[in-house]
Structures are given as C-alpha cells and as structure tokens.
C-alpha cells in the first residue's frame, strides 16, 4: 500500500471514530461534531450556529484535535457552562433586562451559558427582532398567531395547570422592544410560586375540580382561544374530554423549561405585551399563591380588542367624533403641519378658557402664526366645533369672535356612590341636558349593581335624542370610589362599597355600550369637571376637595390633572388620619368618621347642638388635612364641592378650611390661599366623569391619555 493510501485509510478510520462519538453521549459528541463539520469545509461561525455552541468552543476543540488528534477530544473537563439552558429563564431575563443589555452575549454571561444557546432559545420562543412576530412559548401542539395572556392557574401540591388565552383571529402584535415587565411584581409571583411548589405532595385534583376550573375560565373569557398547559403532575382522569367540553386546547410544556421558569416566562411575556394590567394582575396572583390549600385563580375578563364589538351591543352609539389622543402639550403651539391635531387642541383650549376670542388674540396667546390660527379656525368652523359670533371693530377692521359650539360634542357621566347612582349627559359647556338619580340597589351581588348602572345609563342616553347619540356622542365616563385600576377599568377595594371589590367594571359595561368608556376615581373626575366647566376661573393650579360619602381630593397641577403612578392620587382620608395621629390597632391609618360628611347633618333645633358640634369637628379635621396638602404642594386655590357642600354645612366647611390653610401654613407670609365653592354641586362627580371624555379629546398635554 502506498504512503498516500495509508494516510487516507488512517483519516477514514479517524472519521469513523468521530462519527461514532458524534452519535454517542455528551460532551464528546459535541466535540466530535465540531471536527466533522470542519472536515466539510465550514467556518467557525457556521459551525457554532449549526451546533448551538459558542465560536470559542469551536475554536478550542478544533485546535486540540489539530494538536492531539482524537485523543485531544476525549477526557477533557468541560468549562463551567451548563450543557443545557433553561429556556424559560432566558425568555424572562430577556424581557426583564434593560434594552441595552438584552443581547445574547450579555444574557449568556449573566446566565452562565453560551450566547448561541441563548439565541437558540429566543428563536424557539419567537423572541426575535421581527416586528411582525408575536413571542409565544414553543408548546406541543404549537400555538396560533397573536399575543398571549395568562388567564388562569390551578395549583395543588401534586400538579400545576396554566391557562393561556389568545385573541380569536387576531393579528400578531408588535415586537417587544423597550417594554419591561414590572420586575418587583414578577419576583413576588416567582417567590410565592416556588414556596407553593415545596408543599407536601397530594393526589391529583378530582375531575370535578378541573372541570369547574375550565368552565369558570370559559365563562370569564368567552371570546378568547384558551390553551391549557400541564406544567406538573399527571393529567386528570377524563382530561381530554374535559378540555373538549370547555373548548380548551391541551398542550405539552416546552422542553428544557422548568416549572417555575415557564410560569415566570409566560407572565413576563404577558406583562410586556399587555402592560396595561400587568402589575396588579401579578401582585394579585402573588397574594393568591400565599394562601393555604388549592389555588384556583381566574383572571378578570379581558378588555375588548381594538375594533371588537362588545357582546350585547345594539349598534354604534357614536360616529366619527373628534375623540383622539392629544399626545403633546405646552402653552404654545408649533406651526408644523404634521402637528395639526396638537395645534387644534391648543386653539380649542384657548377658545374654551376665554369663552369668546378673536383669531388675533388666539395667535397672541398661543404664539402660533396668524396664518396657522386662521387655517385651524377655518377647519374647526367647517367641522362644527367652533361658531363665529358678532363682529367688532379692531383697528378699523372687522374681527369675528369665535367660541366653542356647545352642542358639538356630548358625553355621559355616571357617578357610583355607595348610596346613590347619578347619570348625566352634558354638552361641551358642561350644561346638563339629561339627568337621572336613583338609590343604589341593596342587592349585594356585583352583577345586580352593574346591571342597575347599565340600565340607568341606557335610559338617560335614550332620552337625549338620536342625533346626539349618532353624531356628537364621545363616550361614557364612570366615576367610582377609589382605589381603582383605571387602565383595565377595575374597581379594586373601595372601603365603603365592598360589593364592587375587584369588579372589572369597564369590561362589563362594554358589553352594554358600544362606545369609548373611561373609568376614573370620583374625586379626580370631579376635579377634571371643575377645570373644564370653570374655564378661565380654573385655569391655574388648584386642589379640589370632594365632599361625598367620604372625602377625596383631585389635583390640577401644571395645567393638567395629576393622577399619580396608579391614577389613585388624592386619598385624603389616609392623609387626614396621619395628620391627626389616628391609627387602627394594626398601625394602618384609621378610616375617619369625620371624613364622611354624610354622617354629619346640621339642623336648627337647639337639641341638635351636639350634632352641630360634630359637623364643626369634621370641618376642623378636614381643614387640618387640607393644610397638609397646601404645605405639600404650595398651591393658592382650594375648591370645595360635592353633594355635601350645600346648605348651612357648606359654610361651616368653607370657613374652617379657609382658616386652617391661611392661619397655619409654613408659607403664610408669602401667599393667601383662596377657598372657593365648586361651580358644580350634587352632580360634580357625574359631570366630571363626562368631562374626562372632553379632557381626553381636546386638552393639549405632554402625557398620553391614561398615563400618570
């Protein structure tokens, strides 16, 4: 045999050995595969991509094979990197990391694995850079297109079922670029779930438990496509039949994903795709997981998809009205044509505050050019938002006064008070064109209360005429006792109205009204209404003190409503209790009886002096709380309103509050605080709820609607 033939035979023998190794156990299989791929002429980057290894790993084992032959691939210890990576951890960390630290290399270093393994996991979960891609777990069978929601969790010591939802027929949602889930809330769920998994084992739940869980999920999410993942434990008896009966698709969990990491990953995907409800949903789930025994958690009904007609709607109640997102703000406009909608808001705001104004005065106040003002005014006149009044002489030239056309837009406001319901329809001037008030039902079922609210709203809306409903109706604003999740429209746990605890009010009302619906805390809504109706008198910053069944505050700061991080700013009762040093045995600030004006009534009879003293005591307590607000914010106007700011009691409150905020504040030598009665009284919150639609439609501001 020639020397060349002998060399060739030796090489073939080595390749045979490498092929056997490549088909065998790790880690030698990977090393042999690297050499085999190199023998086919592939470069390091291509080999790394094909095998899911780092380029450094490829280079290392190619060099060792070149120096030592097959022996160099055997018996070598691996680096500290794990052979497999938990893909759930990769996905969760990809979403939780700051945008500039989401590269595969950065994540690989943090997770202690190769960047190619990270990239491969991200690809399997569709977490790439494609803007049309909707990230989703790689289940078996695979999910359809569209974003996912985590809508249910059934957990017992021996098993865990996770329920996911997708929009039926929805398009893929945009890629997740700069949206980060709330890390603290997600960590709370992870910790609680990890502890729950450590509980002693128990038999699988009975088929009845699983069937009830699936049936409840289907009732809560009738339009969604539901997908059940058995994360842990065996399938229940008749599992397939139960899924089919509830129209739920069963899936196997992805490979290389742990129980905790899968839940963490899908919750992170949900929160990043639907940030509107993520924090509260995560915190509620964490709280539920801390409870003893079986957990059957079903998420509240999902909000209607864009363009989706809520069930039970009888047709659209509005046409192409001017409702839009006023996304910019400032006292002055800009003359670029592409900012026309913002400039229109600036002009409308200027006209609204002035009542009636010339085009020249609009230009002077907004710093827009005369040409821009004329163009915008002409457009608003043609669309019927403005009207032109009498002429007046200005420098020898006739000049028309423009004002808002009051009937150009209407909105309905509903105020939900622990004792009464109030529904109004108002026009742009704040004039009430329809009204109805009724006692709230004593029925302690949330469904009965929501049904009464819907019927009340429908009856008031029916009385305003078809033309209003079809041409100028902007939508429905609902004022509720706080706290409230305004983004998802859920009433959380109002202290004086437990029947609405955790009720997804907006979602339920969307099934009765085919129009935009905003849910706002009552005191904040009243402040919005005061600003809108008060026009120029309320153009500066002020604190609105709402005297209803309970006392709350609404804050107008820098020309806009201040809602706070969660849209629950203004919890006056808590602040008042802290100022007065009143706490419950648990250490929580006390719910003060003084901050419930409904319990204090003034009567002229001398025998009722004790009651009169209680009113004065309440007024003094509220004055102390208002003083704290003034010292904190340094504003010069307090507006007092609400259904209990009437009659003799109103003067008591106004007098005591004015004395407190002017006699005792730190900056009393620099300014005098004015205390004035609201332009609205009994219907302040309902009118304010309707005004939130006007505020969202026409007010120029820096923040997006709904943001804090």
């Amino acid at each position: 045999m020639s020397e060349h033939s002998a060399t060739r035979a030796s090489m073939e023998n080595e390749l045979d050995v490498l092929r056997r190794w490549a088909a065998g156990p790790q880690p030698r299989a990977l090393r042999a595969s690297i050499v085999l791929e190199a023998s086919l002429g592939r470069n390091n980057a291509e080999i790394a991509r094909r095998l899911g290894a780092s380029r450094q790993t490829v280079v290392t084992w190619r060099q060792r094979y070149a120096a030592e032959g097959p022996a160099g691939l055997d018996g070598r210890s691996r680096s500290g990197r794990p052979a497999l990576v938990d893909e759930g951890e990769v996905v969760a960390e990809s979403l939780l990391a700051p945008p500039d630290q989401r590269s595969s290399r950065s994540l690989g270093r943090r997770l202690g694995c190769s960047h190619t393994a990270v990239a491969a996991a991200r690809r399997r979960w569709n977490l790439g850079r494609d803007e049309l891609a909707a990230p989703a777990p790689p289940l078996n069978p695979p999910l359809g297109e569209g974003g996912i929601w985590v809508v249910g969790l059934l957990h017992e010591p021996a098993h865990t079922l996770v329920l996911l939802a997708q929009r039926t027929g929805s398009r893929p949602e945009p890629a997740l670029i700069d949206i980060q889930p709330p890390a603290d809330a997600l960590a709370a769920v992870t910790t609680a779930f990890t502890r729950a998994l450590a509980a002693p084992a128990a038999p699988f739940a009975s088929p009845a438990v699983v069937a009830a869980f699936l049936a409840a999920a289907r009732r809560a999410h009738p339009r969604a496509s539901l997908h059940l993942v058995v994360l842990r434990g065996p399938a229940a008896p008749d599992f397939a039949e139960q899924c089919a009966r509830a129209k739920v698709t069963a899936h196997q969990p992805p490979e290389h994903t742990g129980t905790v990491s899968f839940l963490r990953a899908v919750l992170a995907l949900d929160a990043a795709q639907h940030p509107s409800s993520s924090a509260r949903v995560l915190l509620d789930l964490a709280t539920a997981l801390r409870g003893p025994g079986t957990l059957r958690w079903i998420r509240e009904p999902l909000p209607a998809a864009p363009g989706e007609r809520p069930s039970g709607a009888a047709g659209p109640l509005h046409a192409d009205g001017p409702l839009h997102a006023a996304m910019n703000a400032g006292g002055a406009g800009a003359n670029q044509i592409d900012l026309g909608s913002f400039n229109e808001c600036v002009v409308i705001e200027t006209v609204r505050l002035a009542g009636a104004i010339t085009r020249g005065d609009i230009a002077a106040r907004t710093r827009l050019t005369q040409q821009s003002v004329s163009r915008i005014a002409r457009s608003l006149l043609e669309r019927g938002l403005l009207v032109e009044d009498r002429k007046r002489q200005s420098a020898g030239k006739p000049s028309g006064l423009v004002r808002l056309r009051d009937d150009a837009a209407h909105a309905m406001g509903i105020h939900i008070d622990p004792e009464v319901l109030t529904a109004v329809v108002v026009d742009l001037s704040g004039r009430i064109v329809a009204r109805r008030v009724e006692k709230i039902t004593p029925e302690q079922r949330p469904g009965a209360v929501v049904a009464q609210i819907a019927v009340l709203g429908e009856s008031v809306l029916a009385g305003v005429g078809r033309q209003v409903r079809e041409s100028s109706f902007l939508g429905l604003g609902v004022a509720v006792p706080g706290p409230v999740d305004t983004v998802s429209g859920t009433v959380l746990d109002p202290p004086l109205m437990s029947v609405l605890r955790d009720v997804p009010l907006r979602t339920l009302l969307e099934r009765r009204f085919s129009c935009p619906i905003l849910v706002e805390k009552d005191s904040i809504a009243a402040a919005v209404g005061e600003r809108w109706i008060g026009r120029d008198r309320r153009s500066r910053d002020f604190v609105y003190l709402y005297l209803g069944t309970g006392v709350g505050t609404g804050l107008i700061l820098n020309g806009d409503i201040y809602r706070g991080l969660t849209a629950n700013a203004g919890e006056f009762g808590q602040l008042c209790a802290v100022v007065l040093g009143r706490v419950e045995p648990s250490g929580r600030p006390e719910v003060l009886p003084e901050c419930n004006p409904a319990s204090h009534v003034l009567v002229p009879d001398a025998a009722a002096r004790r009651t009169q003293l209680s009113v004065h005591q309440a007024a003094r307590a509220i004055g102390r709380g208002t003083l704290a607000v003034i010292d904190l914010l340094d504003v010069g106007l307090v507006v007092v309103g609400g259904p209990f700011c009437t009659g003799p009691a109103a003067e008591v409150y106004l007098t005591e509050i004015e004395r407190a905020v002017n006699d005792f504040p730190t900056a009393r030598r620099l300014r005098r605080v004015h205390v004035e009665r609201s332009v609205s009284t009994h219907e302040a919150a309902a009118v304010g709820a309707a005004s939130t639609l006007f505020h969202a439609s026409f007010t120029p501001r820096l923040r997006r609607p709904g943001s804090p």
Side-chain angles (χ1 to χ4, degrees), residues 513-556:
F513 298 94
S514 180
C515 65
I517 298 177
L518 299 179
V519 177
E520 190 76 83
K521 200 168 81 161
D522 50 10
S523 59
I524 291 179
V528 172
E530 185 74 18
R531 180 188 180 277
W532 186 266
I533 300 170
R535 296 181 181 264
D536 204 33
R537 288 180 295 167
R538 299 294 183 255
S539 60
R540 59 174 171 153
D541 292 352
F542 64 87
V543 173
Y544 187 98
L545 195 63
Y546 179 76
L547 306 182
T549 306
V551 180
T553 56
L555 308 174
I556 300 294

Side-chain angles (χ1 to χ4, degrees), residues 652-667:
V652 176
Y653 285 119
L654 290 168
T655 301
E656 187 58 43
I657 292 168
E658 184 170 23
R659 186 185 71 83
V661 298
N662 284 302
D663 288 355
F664 306 118
T666 303

Side-chain angles (χ1 to χ4, degrees), residues 96 180-192 264 271 278-280 282-284 286 290 565:
L96 292 169
Q180 288 179 263
D184 292 345
L186 190 57
V189 173
T190 304
T191 301
R264 185 167 180 253
S278 59
R280 182 176 55 78
L282 289 170
L283 291 173
D284 284 352
R290 297 190 191 105
L565 179 64

Side-chain angles (χ1 to χ4, degrees), residues 3 58 75 133 181 184 204 215 258 320 393 428 436 461 486 490 609 642 651 664:
E3 182 178 351
V58 172
D184 292 345
F204 195 93
D320 296 328
Q393 294 293 325
L428 272 180
R436 184 169 177 180
L461 193 58
T486 59
T490 302
R609 288 179 181 174
E651 293 303 322
F664 306 118

Side-chain angles (χ1 to χ4, degrees), residues 134-358:
L139 303 177
N140 181 26
L143 290 172
E145 293 184 337
I148 66 166
W149 309 69
V150 180
V151 295
L153 180 66
L154 177 61
H155 171 74
E156 288 190 335
H159 72 283
T160 302
L161 309 179
V162 175
L163 196 63
L164 308 178
Q166 287 186 309
R167 294 285 191 203
T168 304
S170 64
R171 293 183 178 181
E173 301 190 14
L176 311 178
I177 300 175
D178 294 327
I179 301 175
Q180 288 179 263
D184 292 345
L186 190 57
V189 173
T190 304
T191 301
F193 189 48
T194 302
R195 290 175 178 169
L197 289 174
F204 195 93
S206 68
V209 171
V210 178
F213 171 72
L214 296 179
R218 175 50 69 194
R219 287 194 301 272
H221 308 284
R223 300 186 189 90
S225 172
L226 297 182
H227 304 269
L228 186 66
V229 182
V230 182
L231 268 191
R232 195 172 61 102
D238 303 325
F239 180 69
E241 181 181 343
Q242 292 169 349
C243 291
R245 189 179 302 118
K247 298 181 180 178
V248 174
T249 305
H251 300 265
Q252 292 296 319
E255 296 181 347
H256 314 309
T257 303
T259 301
V260 175
S261 66
F262 177 82
L263 182 63
R264 185 167 180 253
V266 293
L267 286 170
L269 282 175
D270 178 336
Q273 293 178 32
H274 317 292
S276 62
S277 59
S278 59
R280 182 176 55 78
V281 167
L282 289 170
L283 291 173
D284 284 352
L285 178 55
T287 301
L289 279 166
R290 297 190 191 105
T294 299
L295 168 68
R296 302 176 186 86
W297 175 77
I298 301 292
R299 187 176 185 155
E300 65 192 28
L302 303 177
E308 182 180 64
R309 178 172 166 176
S311 63
L317 295 177
H318 68 288
D320 296 328
L323 184 66
H324 64 275
M327 298 173 61
N328 300 307
N335 289 306
Q336 292 88 342
I337 294 177
D338 60 346
L339 294 180
S341 61
F342 166 66
N343 285 346
E344 287 179 355
C345 289
V346 171
V347 170
I348 289 173
E349 177 77 351
T350 305
V351 173
R352 185 186 70 81
L353 292 177
I357 189 172
T358 66

